[in-house]
Amino acid sequence: MTTLADLPIRDDLRGQSPYGAPQLHVPVALNVNENTHGLPDDVIDDIVGALAAAVRGANRYPDREFTALREALAGYLGDAVRPENIWAANGSNEVLQQLLQAFGGPGRSLLGFSPTYSMYPLLALGTGTEWVSASRAEGFVLTADRAAEQVRQARPDIVILCAPNNPTGTPLDLDVVTAVYDATDGVVIVDEAYAEFMPAGTPSAVTLLEGRERLAVSRTMSKAFAFAGVRLGYLAADPALIDALRLVRLPYHLSALTQAAACAALRHADEMLAMVGEIAAQRDRIITQLTRMGFHPYPSGSNFVLFGGVAEPRAVFDALLAQGILIRDQSIPGHLRVTAGTEAETTAFLNAMEPFAPAGE
């Protein structure tokens, strides 16, 4: 039987592993930061109606510039952006891939601050871009001075800042973004996939776009909008930067069905985001209860919690899985990560963690 090793694959891809978060059918899946709350019925009805209308025109190619969706996304982000500042694709990973296709590639580099989202180095690899791993301070914090100094030393073509950071949940102050931007002539990407879970009133990097033509702020509808299965990511940037993405996108890359579903969901943004407060409450409950047990959860501005103090992470992971509870082993020694789910899911996780509490040893 032919194997991958028998094929003339690129040399730099040999021996690599694809992104592979487990997709297991378990009662409590808290491993990939999905929104575990279902869509409200009235939102579902509106989306189904929009899809039915879109299907009637499915014999024609979709609007290549996804005009209605760009207008809806600009309206959602607020006064800091206009439709011409918006780009969208099939999930924020495709948005990031397109940025690397346009501004990365052979002979160019992407710098990120580890530990961070595991797809960043994989996207770099897939586009022939060198991955440069910079470091964080104790507690996974990233300060403006530390970040800017590492950027000046490495001189990357692209810098990516995860805000809040995945897998640690660490919030990112906007002064880090401005310091990094001033320290490089390259493109700066701020990945705000979990921005809606930050405290109300927290400013977005979108507010920094004016006068910064090399800044791109990436978002997704997968998390707060409970739209992971739809695959809709987007970014806000200077129109000139978006012109660069048109050079690398596939023709008609965003289907008419995706556009219709996303526009329908955005019409219900307030209702959809009402779930965010419930999820944040469960996240804070996890932090409180894990602290009580003697674990070390880190501050989180996202819908998940990274916690340390786990003597045997793999053993705990397996024990929880045996009970139908799936969390995430990020290969950070002594640590595990859990998504904040519904109240019932969170309760199941916390009860399962009690026997492993360091305070009980």
Side-chain angles (χ1 to χ4, degrees):
M1 179 181 293
T2 302
T3 67
L4 183 60
D6 299 316
L7 299 176
I9 192 172
R10 280 169 25 195
D11 289 341
D12 60 341
L13 294 180
R14 290 191 181 278
Q16 299 292 334
S17 299
Y19 179 83
Q23 283 194 305
L24 304 175
H25 296 290
V26 295
V28 181
L30 301 174
N31 66 321
V32 288
N33 304 335
E34 296 159 319
N35 184 331
T36 64
H37 294 61
L39 295 173
D41 288 341
D42 62 320
V43 179
I44 293 173
D45 291 342
D46 199 359
I47 292 171
V48 170
L51 290 172
V55 166
R56 292 189 181 96
N59 58 308
R60 301 291 188 180
Y61 285 117
D63 176 6
R64 187 171 53 234
E65 293 300 315
F66 40 94
T67 307
L69 177 57
R70 293 171 80 182
E71 291 173 352
L73 287 168
Y76 170 68
L77 287 181
D79 296 337
V81 298
R82 300 178 300 277
E84 55 265 34
N85 296 115
I86 298 294
W87 186 252
N90 298 285
S92 58
N93 284 326
E94 185 174 70
V95 170
L96 298 176
Q97 182 182 57
Q98 290 171 340
L99 285 165
L100 292 185
Q101 288 173 318
F103 298 102
R108 296 192 174 198
S109 59
L110 167 68
L111 181 144
F113 296 89
S114 300
T116 193
Y117 183 35
S118 60
M119 274 302 299
Y120 296 158
L122 291 176
L123 289 168
L125 177 67
T127 57
T129 308
E130 179 188 0
W131 168 251
V132 178
S133 180
S135 63
R136 296 172 174 269
E138 184 178 355
F140 308 116
V141 173
L142 187 61
T143 63
D145 289 344
R146 183 186 186 96
E149 179 58 28
Q150 292 183 85
V151 168
R152 280 191 290 266
Q153 290 180 2
R155 302 179 65 186
D157 297 279
I158 310 170
V159 179
I160 191 160
L161 299 163
C162 197
N165 186 52
N166 180 11
T168 64
T170 315
L172 185 80
D173 292 334
L174 292 189
D175 66 340
V176 179
V177 179
T178 56
V180 166
Y181 188 89
D182 292 341
T184 179
D185 293 327
V187 169
V188 176
I189 305 167
V190 183
D191 182 355
E192 291 190 339
Y194 300 93
E196 285 91 347
F197 297 99
M198 290 289 290
T202 301
S204 162
V206 168
T207 61
L208 302 177
L209 288 174
E210 184 68 30
R212 294 182 174 89
E213 70 282 353
R214 294 177 286 104
L215 178 63
V217 183
S218 173
R219 289 286 193 99
T220 182
M221 291 183 70
S222 292
K223 311 301 181 181
F225 275 85
F227 242 40
V230 175
R231 312 307 301 130
L232 195 289
Y234 59 101
L235 67 73
D238 188 274
L241 188 148
I242 289 172
D243 279 342
L245 302 185
R246 290 187 174 92
L247 299 176
V248 299
R249 61 119 175 251
L250 294 173
Y252 311 103
H253 73 288
L254 206 56
S255 82
L257 302 183
T258 300
Q259 294 181 43
C263 285
L266 286 163
R267 287 195 289 269
H268 299 267
D270 290 343
E271 185 177 359
M272 299 286 284
L273 295 179
M275 297 183 289
V276 168
E278 299 175 22
I279 296 167
Q282 295 307 316
R283 174 200 65 202
D284 295 343
R285 179 185 170 209
I286 290 170
I287 292 173
T288 298
Q289 293 303 314
L290 288 180
T291 300
R292 176 189 61 79
M293 293 180 204
F295 294 104
H296 178 62
Y298 292 86
S300 176
S302 60
N303 70 336
F304 58 85
V305 176
L306 179 77
F307 58 100
V310 185
E312 298 182 51
R314 194 67 204 182
V316 174
F317 175 91
D318 289 339
L320 266 61
L321 184 58
Q323 299 177 57
I325 302 168
L326 180 61
I327 61 173
R328 191 72 177 267
D329 183 352
Q330 295 283 166
S331 299
I332 301 174
H335 291 73
L336 290 168
R337 191 193 73 189
V338 62
T339 305
T342 64
E343 182 177 3
E345 290 169 331
T346 300
T347 298
F349 162 73
L350 290 171
N351 288 342
M353 287 300 300
E354 285 280 4
F356 302 101
E361 293 180 356

